[in-house]
Every structure is written in C-alpha cells, then in structure tokens.
Amino acid sequence: DVKVTQSSRYLVKRTGEKVFLECVQDMDHENMFWYRQDPGLGLRLIYFSYDVKMKEKGDIPEGYSVSREKKERFSLILESASTNQTSMYLCASSPPKKGYTFGSGTRLTVV
Amino acid sequence: GEDVEQSLFLSVREGDSSVINCTYTDSSSTYLYWYKQEPGAGLQLLTYIFSNMDMKQDQRLTVLLNKKDKHLSLRIADTQTGDSAIYFCAESDNTDKLIFGTGTRLQVFP
C-alpha cells in the first residue's frame, strides 16, 4: 500500500523554537507539497517541490522554509515558531498531472 | 487567480442521498477531484473526473460535471453515519498543483 508518512501526529513546541516537520513517501513521486489547514480557511499551500533540491513558494511561505535533499523526503522548517503557526500541517505527494496522496497530518501547537 | 467554492455545511438523514456542490473558475482544469477527511486524519482521494466527462459513477458515489457552468457535484447514495466527514473539491491548475475548496462538513444523523 502506497504511503506518505509524517513523522509526528501531535507536536507541542515553544515560541521561538526551530521546528522540523518531516514527510517521507515511498511511491517515487516527483512532486511533494506542504499545506496548513485551519478552520474556515481550508488548505493553504506553503511550499512545494517538483524535484530533488528544487522548491517553490506557495501562497503562504512566510515564516517557513523547506528542504528536499532526497526524492522521498520533504521537510518543512519553522525557523522561529510563533503562536500563529499553531495548525494542522498536511504533506502530500503526487506523480506529474495526477492527484495527491496525503499523509495523516501533524497537529502542531506552539505555546 | 483560480478559486474553488463550496458550501460549509450539509446535514442529511441516514439512508438519504447527499449532494455536495462545488464551483470552480479555471476552465482549463484537466482533472477535478473529491477528497474526504475524517476527524483528525489527512485527506483521502475519493474519486476524480476528467474534464471531458459529464458523469462518473463509482458504487455509491456519482460525480456530475457541468463544464459550461464550472459546477461539480458529488452525490452519495444511501448516506451512512460513516460518511460523516469533510469533503473537499479540488481542481488542477496548469501546473501540478491542486486548488482546494474550503471543504463541506457533512453530518449524517439517524
């Protein structure tokens, strides 16, 4: 069964901490995406990548960065966590021109 | 830019049909998708339709596409309590990114 695995289901971090959210896919997909999901706002795209070492800003990249050193892994980095980054974070992957497979999500709380 | 709109809530009685509606703006969309999200989980692909199709049926699910009106609907026949979830409509833009609606929360009551 194909999978997108996010390393943590729940995470609690302090304001100002550097936070790493990891996502690994086993489907050899070229494309990987990071979204955040907030009530009433739907899914908002943070960053995406179409290839190793390639990254593109999505709609809300401020306060985030990403890393894609290997095809199967796409990491989201919160450089200095703030309370307004408390959210559900969803990783997804896809082959070209096809729908996404999502991970289970990481619910991050910044206190 | 592209936009996808859905109503926020739908409440139906168990055994009835549910119809979740979606409108989109990008007429060049190749595929349109329906995803389901259960509480505390990621999104699961339910079904999709190619833009040159009008209808697609998959067991209890029927997708209707009106390309002229840019309207997509998902009909769930014989709705069950296990169908209670948030349903997202999504369109593909001219890259590989999907544009999602805000989601429709379906509540099924006995």
Side-chain angles (χ1 to χ4, degrees):
Chain A
D1 196 16
V2 295
K3 269 194 174 173
V4 177
T5 303
Q6 294 184 232
S7 51
S8 305
R9 289 299 301 272
Y10 300 95
L11 215 50
V12 180
K13 295 293 181 181
R14 294 195 181 277
T15 301
E17 276 193 77
K18 191 168 186 175
V19 181
F20 293 85
L21 302 184
E22 305 289 347
C23 176
V24 178
Q25 50 99 0
D26 64 1
M27 297 164 282
D28 201 35
H29 284 168
E30 286 82 358
N31 305 330
M32 296 189 76
F33 306 85
W34 275 106
Y35 287 84
R36 64 177 281 178
Q37 183 181 15
D38 301 287
L41 297 177
L43 276 71
R44 291 182 290 169
L45 181 62
I46 305 171
Y47 266 97
F48 60 101
S49 169
Y50 290 150
D51 202 352
V52 176
K53 296 194 186 295
M54 178 271 183
K55 58 186 178 185
E56 293 277 351
K57 292 180 180 179
D59 300 318
I60 51 162
E62 296 78 19
Y64 303 93
S65 62
V66 289
S67 171
R68 193 162 181 206
E69 295 296 316
K70 294 185 178 181
K71 190 175 186 179
E72 66 269 20
R73 184 180 297 269
F74 193 36
S75 303
L76 180 70
I77 304 155
L78 285 66
E79 297 290 344
S80 176
S82 63
T83 53
N84 63 12
Q85 292 178 309
T86 291
S87 187
M88 171 75 121
Y89 289 87
L90 294 166
C91 175
S93 73
S94 77
K97 306 298 182 195
K98 296 291 184 186
Y100 297 172
T101 301
F102 279 89
S104 300
T106 296
R107 186 166 293 282
L108 172 68
T109 302
V110 182
V111 297
Chain B
E2 297 90 354
D3 195 19
V4 178
E5 294 191 354
Q6 302 177 240
S7 54
L8 290 180
F9 298 102
L10 178 65
S11 183
V12 299
R13 189 179 298 277
E14 191 173 17
D16 286 352
S17 292
S18 308
V19 179
I20 302 171
N21 294 302
C22 169
T23 58
Y24 61 97
T25 57
D26 186 358
S27 57
S28 66
S29 292
T30 306
Y31 289 97
L32 295 129
Y33 301 86
W34 284 104
Y35 283 84
K36 176 184 180 182
Q37 185 182 34
E38 296 183 356
L43 277 69
Q44 170 196 357
L45 179 64
L46 271 183
T47 187
Y48 64 93
I49 188 167
F50 191 52
S51 59
N52 68 355
M53 296 169 66
D54 298 325
M55 186 183 90
K56 180 178 180 182
Q57 186 149 5
D58 184 2
Q59 299 183 329
R60 292 190 298 123
L61 304 179
T62 303
V63 178
L64 294 177
L65 175 60
N66 180 330
K67 204 170 177 185
K68 174 176 167 289
D69 294 339
K70 296 178 191 166
H71 182 268
L72 183 73
S73 67
L74 173 70
R75 179 177 180 269
I76 305 173
D78 187 25
T79 311
Q80 302 298 307
T81 54
D83 295 323
S84 294
I86 302 175
Y87 291 81
F88 290 90
C89 167
E91 63 168 347
S92 56
D93 66 5
N94 58 2
T95 67
D96 282 344
K97 299 199 306 290
L98 295 188
I99 312 298
F100 288 88
T102 51
T104 299
R105 184 179 293 275
L106 173 64
Q107 183 178 18
V108 183
F109 58 93

